[in-house]
């Protein structure tokens, strides 16, 4: 501090000044350097701030002026920050340099993209080509629909029975072999064993055991319910006597204890004299009338009890539906029938109403060549339907169904919703000859699940329409079966 305090005060600048450009203040005192602006030629008057005049700053400034000029220049050069990027040689000498990334390292200069102008009519030509393609696709679709309506694409019997070739490797063996096919053990057993992934590290065979979920065998649903032990007629009578005796003894015990009133004697014409005695002798006519009245009351009471125990129509239908569901739960049976003609309305009504009453699902395909009936449901329901279709229906019968006669009054024209080949009469108004009409059972078996959600019928003019309808239920092969196997099973 003593050194800094002994420093002389700052002296004014000794540079020569021109009187014309020198601004003066009052009393011959010069202006402050910050107020000189552009009017002074001094370096401090050219917009630069006046340096501070603290003792510490002045000492540092004097120390810097005493150093050699080369040392001051080197110090200033060290303090400047080098912002230039690395050279090309330094980039390539870097061990982490990736030669595939040239643009990132700046080795290639960026090229500006040139303007590319589309030729006149380019997009118009593309739009015309798209319109031509759409017109061609529409023409193909209309031709296919016309051929379908005409029945030109109906001969697909060979395609319906084509079986796909087995794969080179089954899906359950793909994780056990290395190649795309099974190895040949007969030619080279050693190479074949090496291609198996059994003892390798990536094998799917491990020491862990996966226990599958236990499933109920499907055949257990078809087992009959256990029946009670068989008893002979004498054993049945003996058991009935014993049961009635126990009920009577229990009732007598309640009467003795006063829990129930004693029953009136049951008077019949056979025990009239034994029960009434003197009353029957004194007035036999009144006693006989009394006996007849009691007999009628007992009969009326019996009938009322039976009527009260009898199920209503809704309860009977509910019970029938429940039994049909239990029957179908044991397994779904499917039956397929072919009928030459269903022109008689009675036959169509019988086919339809019996399927609904038995709770069956399926479809009836009506076609000019032949008709196909597919039903599915429980074993008992399908058996009942088969008896109706195959045994209790006369397919050679023909005539006007009563329902159709009532629906079509005399003098009315033909029903526009009914096609010509489904009418019982021909174009001349005469009944068709149904003497050769028959029904054939094509196939019957068990399926995993129902293919149809409900029962219905469909009129198909061509075979292509019929196959398209059956394709939704994956049963188009049944149509080919009916077409190629007209004989009975």
């Amino acid at each position: 501090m003593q050194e800094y305090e002994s420093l002389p005060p700052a002296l004014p600048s000794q540079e020569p000044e021109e009187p014309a450009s020198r601004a003066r203040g009052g009393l011959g005192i010069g202006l402050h350097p910050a107020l000189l602006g552009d009017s002074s030629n001094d370096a401090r008057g050219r917009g630069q701030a006046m340096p501070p005049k603290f003792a510490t700053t002045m000492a540092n400034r004097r120390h810097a002026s005493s150093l050699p000029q080369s040392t001051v220049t080197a110090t200033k050069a060290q303090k400047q920050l080098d912002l230039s990027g690395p050279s090309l040689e330094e980039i390539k000498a870097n061990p982490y340099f990736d030669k595939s990334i040239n643009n990132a390292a700046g080795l290639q200069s960026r090229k500006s993209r040139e303007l590319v102008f589309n030729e006149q009519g380019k997009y118009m030509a593309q739009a015309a080509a798209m319109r031509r393609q759409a017109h061609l696709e529409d023409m193909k679709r209309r031709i296919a629909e016309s051929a379908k309506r005409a029945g030109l694409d109906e001969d697909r019997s060979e395609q319906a029975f084509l079986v796909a070739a087995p794969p080179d490797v089954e899906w359950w063996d793909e994780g056990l072999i290395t190649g795309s096919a099974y190895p040949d053990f007969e030619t080279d057993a050693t190479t074949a064993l090496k291609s198996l992934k059994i003892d390798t590290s990536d094998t799917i065979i491990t020491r862990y055991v996966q226990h599958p979920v236990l499933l109920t065998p499907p055949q257990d649903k078809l087992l009959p319910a256990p029946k009670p032990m068989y008893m002979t007629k004498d054993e049945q009578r003996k058991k009935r006597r014993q049961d009635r005796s126990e009920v009577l003894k229990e009732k007598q015990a309640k009467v003795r204890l006063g829990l129930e009133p004693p029953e009136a004697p049951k008077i019949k014409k056979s025990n009239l004299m034994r029960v009434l005695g003197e009353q029957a002798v004194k007035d036999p006519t009144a006693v006989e009338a009394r006996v007849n009245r009691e007999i009628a009351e007992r009969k009326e009471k019996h009938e009322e009890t039976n009527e009260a125990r009898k199920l209503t129509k809704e309860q009977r239908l509910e019970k029938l539906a429940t039994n049909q569901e239990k029957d179908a739960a044991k397994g779904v049976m499917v039956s397929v029938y072919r009928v030459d003609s269903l022109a008689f309305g009675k036959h169509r009504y019988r086919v339809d109403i019996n399927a609904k009453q038995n709770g069956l699902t399926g479809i009836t395909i009506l076609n000019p060549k032949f008709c196909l009936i597919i039903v599915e449901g429980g074993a008992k329901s399908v058996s009942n339907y088969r008896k109706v279709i195959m045994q209790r229906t006369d397919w050679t019968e023909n005539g006007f169904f009563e329902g159709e006669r009532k629906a079509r009054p005399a003098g009315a024209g033909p029903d526009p919703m009914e096609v010509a080949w489904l009418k019982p009469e021909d174009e001349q108004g005469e009944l068709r000859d149904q003497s050769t009409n028959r029904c054939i059972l094509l196939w019957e078996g068990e399926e995993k699940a129902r293919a149809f959600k409900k029962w219905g019928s469909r009129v198909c003019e061509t075979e292509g329409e019929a196959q398209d309808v059956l394709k939704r239920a994956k049963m188009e092969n049944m149509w080919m079966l009916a077409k190629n196997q007209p004989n009975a099973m």
Side-chain angles (χ1 to χ4, degrees):
M1 293 297 292
Q2 295 178 0
E3 182 182 357
Y4 294 155
E5 292 176 355
S6 63
L7 290 176
L11 297 177
S13 176
Q14 300 298 328
E15 294 180 1
E17 298 179 359
E18 296 180 4
S21 61
R22 179 70 173 175
R24 306 292 295 175
L27 301 178
I29 300 174
L31 294 177
H32 193 276
L35 301 176
L36 292 177
D38 296 334
S39 61
S40 176
N41 293 329
D42 191 86
R44 292 172 296 193
R46 297 173 184 173
Q48 296 181 359
M50 183 178 64
K53 296 181 179 181
F54 299 111
T56 306
T57 307
M58 296 298 293
N60 292 338
R61 194 180 284 181
R62 182 173 296 175
H63 175 70
S65 61
S66 63
L67 293 176
Q69 187 65 26
S70 59
T71 306
V72 175
T73 306
T75 306
K76 291 183 178 180
Q78 289 178 359
K79 292 182 179 179
Q80 292 182 355
L81 180 63
D82 188 9
L83 299 178
S84 61
S87 62
L88 181 61
E89 289 74 10
E90 293 177 354
I91 294 175
K92 291 184 177 181
N94 191 346
Y96 304 103
F97 171 66
D98 189 1
K99 297 181 180 180
S100 61
I101 308 177
N102 294 331
N103 291 334
L107 300 181
Q108 291 184 359
S109 60
R110 180 180 180 273
K111 295 181 180 180
S112 61
R113 292 186 301 175
E114 299 179 357
L115 294 177
V116 179
F117 297 96
N118 293 318
E119 298 181 1
Q120 184 178 3
K122 173 183 176 181
Y123 293 104
M124 298 294 293
Q126 292 180 1
M130 293 174 65
R131 283 193 292 269
R132 287 195 299 270
Q133 183 66 21
H135 180 68
L136 183 61
E137 295 294 337
D138 184 59
M139 185 183 298
K140 290 181 180 179
R141 181 182 57 79
R142 285 189 279 105
I143 292 174
E145 291 180 356
S146 301
K148 192 175 186 179
R149 287 194 297 268
L152 299 179
D153 60 340
E154 294 171 355
D155 191 9
R156 295 179 284 183
S157 58
E158 296 182 359
Q159 298 179 2
F161 294 97
L162 290 178
V163 180
D168 295 337
V169 180
E170 299 291 348
W171 61 268
W172 53 80
D173 293 333
E174 290 179 353
L176 298 176
I177 60 176
T178 56
S180 61
Y182 288 105
D184 189 2
F185 287 90
E186 297 181 357
T187 305
D188 191 355
T190 305
T191 306
L193 289 174
K194 292 180 180 180
S195 63
L196 298 180
K197 295 193 296 184
I198 297 178
D199 298 334
T200 58
S201 59
D202 58 343
T203 180
I204 61 175
I205 301 176
T206 61
R207 61 188 181 90
Y208 301 104
V209 179
Q210 180 181 2
H211 297 280
V213 180
L214 296 179
L215 301 178
T216 304
Q219 62 271 16
D220 289 355
K221 298 186 296 184
L222 304 178
L223 295 177
K227 295 182 178 180
M229 186 177 60
Y230 177 76
M231 300 176 66
T232 62
K233 292 293 183 180
D234 294 339
E235 291 174 344
Q236 292 176 5
R237 296 192 191 100
K238 181 179 180 180
K239 187 175 183 302
R240 182 172 178 270
R241 288 196 305 268
Q242 292 176 352
D243 295 343
R244 293 182 65 184
S245 176
E246 291 178 0
V247 173
L248 181 60
K249 289 180 180 179
E250 184 179 357
K251 192 173 184 179
Q252 290 176 351
K254 291 181 180 180
V255 171
R256 291 193 189 98
L257 296 174
L259 301 176
E260 292 182 1
E263 290 187 357
K266 185 178 180 181
I267 305 174
K268 299 183 293 184
K269 292 183 179 180
S270 59
N271 62 356
L272 177 64
M273 300 300 297
R274 185 177 69 254
V275 174
L276 297 180
E278 296 180 358
Q279 296 180 8
V281 175
K282 291 179 180 180
D283 193 354
T285 304
V287 171
E288 184 178 1
R290 173 187 170 185
V291 172
N292 292 336
R293 185 171 59 254
E294 292 182 359
I295 292 174
E297 290 177 356
R298 289 197 297 268
K299 181 181 179 181
E300 183 179 359
K301 182 180 178 181
H302 175 73
E303 292 177 353
E304 290 178 355
T305 305
N306 289 345
E307 192 67 24
R309 194 167 52 246
K310 188 177 180 181
L311 299 177
T312 61
K313 183 179 180 180
E314 292 78 10
Q315 291 175 341
R316 289 198 303 271
L317 294 177
E318 184 179 357
K319 180 181 179 181
L320 179 62
T322 303
N323 292 336
Q324 291 173 354
E325 291 178 0
K326 291 180 180 179
D327 186 27
K330 297 179 180 178
V332 179
M333 298 295 296
V334 181
S335 295
V336 183
Y337 306 90
R338 168 186 163 150
V339 183
D340 294 341
S341 175
L342 284 175
F344 189 20
K346 181 180 179 180
H347 293 163
R348 294 197 301 270
Y349 176 78
R350 178 168 290 187
V351 167
D352 181 73
I353 195 64
N354 280 279
K356 293 179 180 179
Q357 290 177 353
N358 286 280
L360 302 175
T361 57
I363 193 171
T364 302
I365 301 295
L366 303 174
N367 189 267
K369 295 183 179 180
F370 61 88
C371 301
L372 188 69
I373 305 173
I374 302 177
V375 293
E376 54 186 10
K380 187 175 181 180
S381 300
V382 172
S383 177
N384 295 339
Y385 191 82
R386 182 176 62 251
K387 292 177 183 178
V388 173
I389 296 298
M390 301 298 296
Q391 301 177 12
R392 295 168 53 188
T393 303
D394 184 10
W395 295 103
T396 60
E397 184 182 5
N398 193 13
F400 292 99
F401 193 38
E402 292 184 3
E404 292 182 344
R405 283 186 177 275
K406 294 178 181 178
R408 293 186 296 172
D415 188 3
M417 299 298 295
E418 187 178 9
V419 292
W421 48 270
L422 277 178
K423 295 180 180 180
E425 69 274 4
D426 53 11
E427 297 178 355
Q428 289 76 20
E430 299 179 358
L431 292 176
R432 300 179 187 272
D433 184 14
Q434 299 284 1
S435 58
T436 59
N437 190 25
R438 59 177 179 172
C439 178
I440 302 172
L441 177 62
L442 294 177
W443 183 82
E444 186 176 25
E446 185 176 0
E447 291 289 343
K448 185 177 180 180
R450 293 179 184 263
F452 300 92
K453 296 181 180 179
K454 59 181 181 179
W455 170 261
S457 60
R458 186 73 177 270
V459 178
C460 301
E461 296 285 348
T462 62
E463 294 185 9
E465 294 181 9
Q467 290 187 358
D468 291 341
V469 172
L470 294 175
K471 189 179 295 183
R472 302 171 187 173
K474 299 181 180 180
M475 284 194 173
E476 62 272 14
N477 59 326
M478 294 300 176
W479 182 266
M480 306 308 303
L481 181 65
K483 180 181 178 181
N484 299 330
Q485 298 181 7
N487 299 327
M489 292 181 62

